[in-house]
């Protein structure tokens, strides 16, 4: 049976979902709010934007890429990969750009979607692949609107804006700020980094991948698979297990790396100000072998005096100093865990997902929600966000959703498949019980891993546990009507 499936979002997870549903023979439409595909890699165009997952892990298994030019790919190269993959997998032609889904309502046995351009029809199944980090947060600093020059969020970089010769201010010290400062410090006249909380920074070189090696990958895909296995073991086996309290030795190695990296800061005062007071790995680890060089440049300043306000000329700090600037970048992160927002999602009996998830987002195995049959998530609640490859995790979730689609179509007419409330409760109780052992919960920091209820909302087990949990749906966990 062919199902009529809507995918919301044409980022990395939406492309994966659409590719698999199309390959399974379903009639698939992808709704994308923007003018092109790409998700986070379309939105983030700041200088130095790159992925902190090894490039050879950052790909779909069904669209291998021998052509990565560096060990950690830059944003533009990833966007180009997604473009190619969407074309090769037959997804590009399924995308309806410029159509944001505003409402999804279960009417009888189908989901009716309304987009910014009107009624989009009824679907047997909906896959929400809307991303976690897509709603920029601008800080509530007095005078934010008064700055005279360009002032913008890191994910809203003005087309063509270069920082060479300018006095640049960057607020924030996460992955985005660190990459911007590392890339811009050399050309800028001055760079002021406004730090509220220092970060642990893990050093990994980003080496080019030689042309001969790329040619060998293309000629012998087996080599690529071997590299993938090797990297998978390092990232998923050691790194990720360390963060969830399952590999203390590996966590000690990560800490040693971060401390050795920090020791490269020569000035003891600067080093002290850059030293976090929480456990390594508690906040999402920043990956950079360039940042400490950048911040030690004579034209760079680390500002730790709290920000008092923003004025037309620059940023005023609490001690009274005015930091005069030409450009101000808010690398202040995202309003996370907005899996379905701003779409209104109305399930069985008019249940409103917004209300149900007002404080905490709960799902069964990160994919399905009681009361919302045939409406599934990629990158949903408790998806692994602790340094796994998002493309790999999206693929695992899409595989599970394919299993759910099989349950839906297992009959003469499409059936309604929703998780049982008790199964979902039991699943979430297990998640909650496991969370305290993770470094995110126990490490003494605050971060975007915490949801509105103050709970860490990531995946508290290993990568193997994750893929095993999604091997195939257990019909006993679902109501099938
Ligand atoms: P982030 O990690 O949430 O960092 C936001 C930064 O802004 C923090 O340093 C925060 O300080 C600071 N901040 C927020 N409000 C502030 C205020 N009012 N005054 C002063 N400082 C303020 O955001 P991000 O750097 O954009 O990164 C988000 C996530 O995106 C990353 O963790 C990562 O998962 C992903 N990402 C990945 C890459 C990559 O692959 N390399 C690159 C960019 C982003 P506090 O710590 O004190 O709250």
């Amino acid at each position: 049976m062919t199902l009529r499936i809507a995918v919301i979002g044409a980022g990395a997870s939406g492309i994966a979902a659409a590719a698999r549903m199309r390959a399974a023979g379903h009639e698939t439409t992808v709704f994308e709010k923007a003018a092109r595909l790409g998700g986070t890699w379309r939105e983030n165009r700041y200088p130095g934007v790159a992925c902190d997952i090894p490039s050879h892990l950052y790909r779909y298994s069904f669209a291998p890429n021998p052509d990565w030019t560096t060990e950690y790919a830059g944003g533009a190269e990833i966007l180009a990969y997604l473009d190619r993959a969407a074309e090769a997998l037959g997804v590009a032609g399924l995308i309806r750009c410029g159509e944001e889904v505003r409402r999804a309502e279960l009417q009888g046995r189908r989901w009716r979607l309304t987009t910014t351009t009107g009624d989009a029809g009824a679907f047997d199944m909906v896959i929400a692949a809307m991303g976690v980090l897509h709603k920029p947060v601008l800080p509530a600093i007095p005078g934010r609107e008064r700055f005279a020059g360009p002032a913008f969020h890191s994910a809203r970089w003005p087309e063509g804006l270069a920082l060479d010769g300018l006095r640049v201010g960057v607020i924030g010290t996460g992955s985005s700020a660190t990459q911007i400062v590392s890339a811009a410090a050399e050309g800028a006249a001055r760079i002021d980094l406004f730090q509220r909380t220092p970060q642990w920074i893990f050093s990994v070189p980003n080496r080019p991948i030689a042309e001969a090696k790329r040619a060998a990958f293309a000629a012998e895909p087996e080599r690529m698979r071997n590299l993938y296995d090797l990297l998978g073991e390092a990232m998923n086996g050691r790194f990720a297990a360390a963060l969830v309290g399952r590999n203390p030795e590996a966590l000690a190695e990560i800490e040693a790396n971060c401390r050795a990296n920090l020791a490269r800061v020569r000035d003891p005062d600067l080093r002290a100000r850059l030293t976090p007071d929480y456990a390594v790995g508690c906040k999402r680890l920043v990956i950079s072998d360039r940042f400490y060089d950048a911040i030690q440049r004579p034209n760079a300043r680390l500002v730790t005096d709290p920000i008092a306000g923003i004025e037309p000329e620059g940023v005023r700090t609490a001690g009274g100093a005015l930091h005069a600037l030409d450009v101000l970048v808010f690398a202040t992160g995202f309003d996370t865990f907005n899996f379905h927002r701003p779409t209104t999602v109305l399930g069985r009996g008019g249940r409103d997902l917004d209300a149900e998830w007002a404080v905490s987002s709960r799902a069964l195995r990160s994919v399905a929600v009681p009361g919302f049959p045939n409406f599934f998530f990629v990158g949903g609640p408790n998806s692994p966000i602790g340094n796994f490859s998002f493309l790999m995790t999206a693929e695992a979730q899409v595989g599970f959703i394919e299993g759910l689609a099989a349950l839906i179509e297992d009959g003469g007419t499409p059936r309604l498949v929703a998780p049982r409330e008790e199964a979902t409760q039991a699943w979430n109780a297990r998640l909650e019980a496991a969370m305290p052992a993770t470094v995110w919960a126990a490490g003494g920091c605050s971060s975007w891993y915490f949801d509105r209820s103050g709970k860490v909302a990531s995946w508290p087990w290993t990568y193997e546990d994750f893929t095993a949990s999604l091997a195939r749906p257990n019909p006993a966990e679902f109501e099938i009507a």
Side-chain angles (χ1 to χ4, degrees):
M1 180 193 308
T2 301
L3 297 178
R4 203 160 178 253
I5 296 178
V7 176
I8 310 178
S13 50
I15 294 169
R20 289 286 285 270
M21 296 308 133
R22 179 185 175 274
H26 300 302
E27 184 195 330
T28 307
T29 306
V30 185
F31 294 94
E32 168 55 54
K33 67 176 186 288
R36 77 181 317 293
L37 62 78
T40 200
W41 301 108
R42 175 196 63 229
E43 309 248 310
N44 287 279
R45 298 174 295 158
Y46 58 75
V49 60
C51 187
D52 55 10
I53 298 291
S55 33
H56 274 275
L57 283 186
Y58 208 76
R59 55 85 172 129
Y60 309 117
S61 66
F62 44 83
N65 179 23
D67 301 325
W68 296 117
T69 59
T70 52
E71 291 178 354
Y72 291 83
E77 196 171 342
I78 297 173
L79 187 58
Y81 166 72
L82 293 176
D83 276 335
R84 285 200 309 278
E87 200 61 58
L89 297 163
V91 170
L94 309 176
I95 303 173
R96 282 164 58 166
C97 286
E99 276 197 66
E100 184 172 37
V101 177
R102 304 313 294 263
R103 186 182 173 91
E105 184 174 5
L106 186 66
Q107 293 182 350
R109 304 185 73 77
R110 297 184 111 190
W111 284 91
R112 181 157 289 277
L113 299 194
T114 312
T115 73
T116 36
T117 61
D119 180 16
F123 296 85
D124 300 311
M125 182 174 133
V126 179
I127 302 176
M130 298 161 79
V132 181
L133 298 163
H134 63 106
K135 292 186 106 190
V137 170
L138 289 169
I141 298 173
R144 197 188 72 217
E145 309 293 342
R146 294 179 58 216
F147 186 67
F152 47 86
H153 189 272
S154 53
R156 295 286 179 270
W157 201 270
E159 186 80 48
L161 177 74
L163 301 177
D164 289 354
L166 301 179
R167 296 166 304 169
V168 179
V170 178
I171 299 179
T173 49
S175 303
S176 303
T178 307
Q179 290 183 344
I180 293 167
V181 169
S182 303
E186 197 176 334
R190 216 187 59 224
I191 196 148
D192 287 352
L193 176 62
F194 297 90
Q195 171 187 282
R196 186 164 69 181
T197 312
Q199 288 269 8
W200 287 112
I201 303 182
F202 186 83
S203 174
V204 192
N206 187 10
R207 290 175 292 241
I209 300 176
E211 210 175 318
K213 204 166 183 179
R214 286 185 258 146
F217 285 146
E220 297 170 62
E222 188 58 28
R223 280 181 179 232
M224 236 184 331
R225 276 195 292 276
N226 292 342
L227 175 61
Y228 175 86
D229 289 344
L230 213 78
L231 293 168
E233 171 51 27
M235 278 307 290
N236 304 334
R238 288 186 70 73
F239 200 102
L243 302 181
V244 295
R246 297 274 272 273
N247 194 335
E249 243 175 63
L251 189 59
E253 280 170 26
I254 294 168
E255 177 170 351
N257 174 306
C258 293
R259 288 190 184 280
N261 196 18
L262 181 61
R264 290 168 47 221
V265 178
R266 293 176 297 275
D267 172 25
D269 171 59
L270 179 62
R271 195 166 58 239
R273 290 191 298 136
L274 286 167
T275 305
D277 63 359
Y278 53 84
V280 170
C282 182
K283 280 179 187 283
R284 176 164 169 132
L285 216 50
V286 173
I287 313 274
S288 175
D289 66 341
R290 297 172 64 199
F291 172 73
Y292 290 132
D293 293 334
I295 200 68
Q296 290 184 86
R297 293 178 58 88
N299 64 333
R301 286 193 308 209
L302 180 75
V303 181
T304 48
D305 207 11
I307 296 172
I310 296 174
E311 301 179 9
E313 299 76 29
V315 172
R316 180 128 2 227
T317 45
L322 176 72
H323 303 262
L325 301 167
D326 301 310
V327 173
L328 182 54
V329 184
F330 300 107
T332 41
F334 298 85
D335 183 9
T336 47
F337 309 115
N338 276 305
F339 309 103
H340 64 292
R341 299 187 176 98
T343 307
T344 298
V345 181
L346 302 174
R348 199 173 260 148
R351 280 170 79 164
D352 183 345
L353 193 54
D354 227 5
E356 307 225 355
W357 282 3
V359 180
S360 259
S361 309
R362 272 176 350 113
L364 175 69
R365 299 180 189 271
S366 70
V367 164
V369 189
F372 295 82
N374 300 11
F375 193 103
F376 306 122
F377 287 85
V378 186
N382 294 95
S383 284
I385 45 178
N387 300 82
F388 293 126
S389 161
F390 189 77
L391 271 70
M392 293 170 73
T393 57
E395 206 177 305
Q397 290 168 335
V398 168
F400 189 77
I401 292 172
E402 212 178 322
L404 292 169
L407 293 179
I408 292 171
E409 62 178 336
D410 186 20
T413 50
R415 303 195 288 179
L416 289 174
V417 175
R420 293 184 183 281
E421 185 62 53
E422 322 79 73
T424 309
Q425 271 175 18
W427 175 254
N428 280 274
R430 279 182 58 204
L431 280 169
E432 210 166 302
M435 216 54 89
T438 69
V439 68
W440 312 304
C445 72
S446 69
S447 78
W448 64 264
Y449 285 4
F450 291 84
D451 69 13
R452 292 182 176 88
S453 73
K455 286 186 207 151
V456 176
S458 187
W459 176 259
W461 300 299
T462 64
Y463 183 74
E464 289 71 31
D465 294 331
F466 176 71
T467 48
S469 81
L470 293 170
R472 73 192 60 81
N474 172 4
E477 287 187 331
F478 292 87
E479 285 166 7
I480 303 171

